[in-house]
Amino acid sequence: MSFISAHVLDSVHGCPARGIDVTLLTGAGEQIATATTDEDGRVTDLGPETLESGHYRIIFATEPYFAGRDLETFYPFVSVDFTVRKEQGHYHVPLLLSPFAYSTYRGS
């Protein structure tokens, strides 16, 4: 199981956001892994089984998703910076998304 997973929900349409490219980076900007959300809006395998403690970033490519639905968006991507504590185990990063707003939190 990947140490990091993500989930994107389209809050405008009330459904999972499938087909969004997701990139995991170190805090210094080095790419660790990429994936695309599945039919349930999830990325279950984003990078290695463990990560060192430190700062990381997930980038969700939102512009192509909205363009595919003929919608403009204010956010061409959403970047979420977060801190990993290796001893805390798995991290899940959900994103609630609309063209002009988003929200995120640490999921379980």
Side-chain angles (χ1 to χ4, degrees):
M1 175 187 212
S2 176
F3 197 72
I4 305 290
S5 61
H7 190 193
V8 184
L9 295 172
D10 181 330
S11 61
V12 171
H13 298 100
C15 63
R18 68 179 176 134
I20 292 183
D21 291 331
V22 181
T23 304
L24 175 64
L25 307 165
T26 66
E30 297 172 20
Q31 184 174 305
I32 298 171
T34 61
T36 302
T37 57
D38 64 16
E39 296 216 4
D40 196 32
R42 296 181 183 276
V43 170
T44 57
D45 189 18
L46 187 61
E49 292 182 11
T50 187
L51 289 172
E52 294 300 316
S53 296
H55 300 291
Y56 293 87
R57 174 177 296 140
I58 291 181
I59 298 175
F60 299 90
T62 56
E63 188 172 51
Y65 174 78
F66 286 116
R69 283 148 188 78
D70 294 324
L71 293 171
E72 285 188 41
T73 181
F74 184 66
Y75 303 104
F77 63 90
V78 172
S79 177
V80 179
D81 292 1
F82 58 100
T83 302
V84 163
R85 303 269 184 257
K86 184 177 181 179
E87 66 276 2
Q88 289 188 3
H90 178 80
Y91 283 77
H92 183 64
V93 183
L95 178 67
L96 305 175
L97 183 62
S98 76
F100 300 101
Y102 65 87
S103 177
T104 187
Y105 57 94
R106 180 174 178 191
S108 57

